[in-house]
Amino acid sequence: MAAIFRSIPRAFRGYLCTPVPLSARRFSKRADENRTLAGKVAVITGSTRGIGFAIARRLAQDGAHVVISSRKQENVDKAVAMLKEEGLSVTGTVCHVGKAEDRQHLVTTALKHSRGIDFLVCVAGVNPLVGSTLGASEQIWDKILDVNVKSPALLLSKLLPHMENRGGGCVVLVSSVSAYVPVPKLGVYNTSKTALLGLGKSLAVELAPKGIRVNCLVPGIIKTDFSLREKTLLNILPDMNKIFGLQRLGEPEECAGLVSFLCSSDASYITGENITVAGFSPKL
Ligand code: NAP
């Protein structure tokens, strides 16, 4: 992390370190006192670090049992141990969302805890290409679309009967502001994130009769390993944030706060929405 930080242009470093205002910190702490999701079960992909980990911690603080997952066993073990040490109810398993057998295993792991599942949060996303959209190989297209777009739908199809068991549920997909403001050289990734907005809208319509709500979290630049790696993101979006927005980058906990709200009964009449957490509105 320190090496990545040093490789970022000096001008942006101070910007990365801008402290989170008190109001944002207070918002993420409130969960400790308010266990609004007690008795619920949440499955979260890509949740061993970054935005996914913050969501896992927040939903568990809110009282849910959380099933953590990502590709690497050591990351799963570390994340589970960390949250258990905080007294939270979590289990974990390896799940590369692009692999059918891993998706099935994730469902099986969640069902060991309870006969039903209430929430699915699809955070896992990849960007293996910085370069021309038309120069992207078929393999790159397949990888990005498999992981970012197809896997949430395929995983949800496996979980659906168990959400129906509960008489309803809540799904949150994780898109990106690059769906609205295409970042140069990330064309395939931008396309996948725009497709997710469409997937969310379609699933919201399809699943509404079953009482299952589907919404999309649309993050701007959030301080994680992913955003520090993707310098193209850092070179474009901070300028928009500087001109139109709160003039700082986001914290993973600020995304987690929105997901907590969307899963709660306070959001019981909200579905089919794409909600930006970016410090500015990309839909100016
Ligand atoms: P991150 O810090 O790099 O964390 C990614 C997480 O996903 C890790 O737990 C990683 O663990 C897991 N993962 C990666 N590929 C996976 C796969 N194929 N299957 C299952 N798990 C996988 O990333 P992040 O910044 O939190 O980003 C999370 C999501 O937010 C992504 O969908 C990204 O596109 C979106 N987003 C991020 C930003 C931002 O500024 N950070 C902005 C807009 C959108 P393993 O290595 O163990 O698999």
Side-chain angles (χ1 to χ4, degrees):
M1 190 90 168
I4 299 174
F5 186 76
R6 275 197 299 278
S7 71
I8 287 168
R10 231 166 240 292
F12 288 124
R13 290 191 200 163
Y15 194 46
L16 276 170
C17 294
T18 310
V20 183
L22 255 185
S23 55
R25 275 187 259 153
R26 220 181 280 131
F27 185 62
S28 55
K29 285 259 165 73
R30 215 187 55 190
D32 288 336
E33 298 124 39
N34 216 354
R35 295 172 69 80
T36 49
L37 305 182
K40 306 288 188 185
V41 176
V43 171
I44 311 180
T45 69
S47 48
T48 55
R49 60 172 190 271
I51 295 171
F53 181 73
I55 294 170
R57 174 183 266 148
R58 175 63 193 259
L59 297 191
Q61 285 174 342
D62 288 352
H65 173 80
V66 174
V67 184
I68 285 173
S69 62
S70 79
R71 292 167 304 181
K72 296 180 194 132
Q73 184 72 56
E74 78 246 41
N75 291 346
V76 173
D77 292 344
K78 206 172 129 196
V80 167
M82 206 182 295
L83 295 185
K84 277 193 170 161
E85 241 170 62
E86 295 174 16
L88 301 172
S89 174
V90 293
T91 45
T93 186
V94 165
C95 175
H96 181 317
V97 293
K99 295 184 178 168
E101 64 275 21
D102 282 13
R103 292 192 297 266
Q104 184 54 55
H105 188 63
L106 178 57
V107 178
T108 311
T109 305
L111 292 174
K112 278 184 194 153
H113 180 83
S114 160
R115 283 179 52 222
I117 292 160
D118 303 279
F119 313 131
L120 170 64
V121 188
C122 298
V123 186
V126 289
N127 178 48
L129 174 73
V130 177
S132 141
T133 309
L134 297 181
S137 66
E138 192 164 351
Q139 208 184 7
I140 289 284
W141 275 104
D142 286 346
K143 179 166 186 174
I144 294 181
L145 293 181
D146 277 356
V147 170
N148 295 7
V149 186
K150 279 164 62 183
S151 76
L154 294 171
L155 177 57
L156 180 55
S157 70
K158 294 281 173 206
L159 280 179
L160 188 61
H162 312 293
M163 283 191 160
E164 289 182 276
N165 250 351
R166 300 286 227 199
C170 168
V171 178
V172 181
L173 307 177
V174 178
S175 176
S176 164
V177 284
S178 75
Y180 297 121
V181 185
V183 177
K185 297 194 181 160
L186 298 186
V188 184
Y189 173 81
N190 300 336
T191 305
S192 74
K193 292 298 183 178
T194 311
L196 266 182
L197 302 182
L199 178 65
K201 292 270 182 201
S202 295
L203 290 176
V205 170
E206 224 169 287
L207 300 181
K210 299 178 190 297
I212 296 171
R213 298 179 294 106
V214 184
N215 293 290
C216 237
L217 158 68
V218 185
I221 301 189
I222 309 298
K223 286 186 223 166
T224 66
D225 293 354
F226 178 84
S227 62
L228 294 182
R229 258 192 332 262
E230 295 299 338
K231 305 230 181 50
T232 34
L233 273 177
L234 278 174
N235 284 335
I236 303 283
L237 294 172
D239 285 346
M240 294 201 60
N241 186 314
K242 233 174 198 162
I243 297 166
F244 302 113
L246 296 174
Q247 312 192 2
R248 64 174 177 85
L249 302 189
E251 300 288 333
E253 290 73 17
E254 293 176 293
C255 292
L258 174 68
V259 176
S260 164
F261 165 70
L262 287 173
C263 290
S264 77
S265 57
D266 284 343
S268 53
Y269 206 45
I270 299 177
T271 194
E273 293 294 346
N274 303 319
I275 304 175
T276 308
V277 178
F280 72 99
S281 169
K283 297 169 273 178
L284 291 167

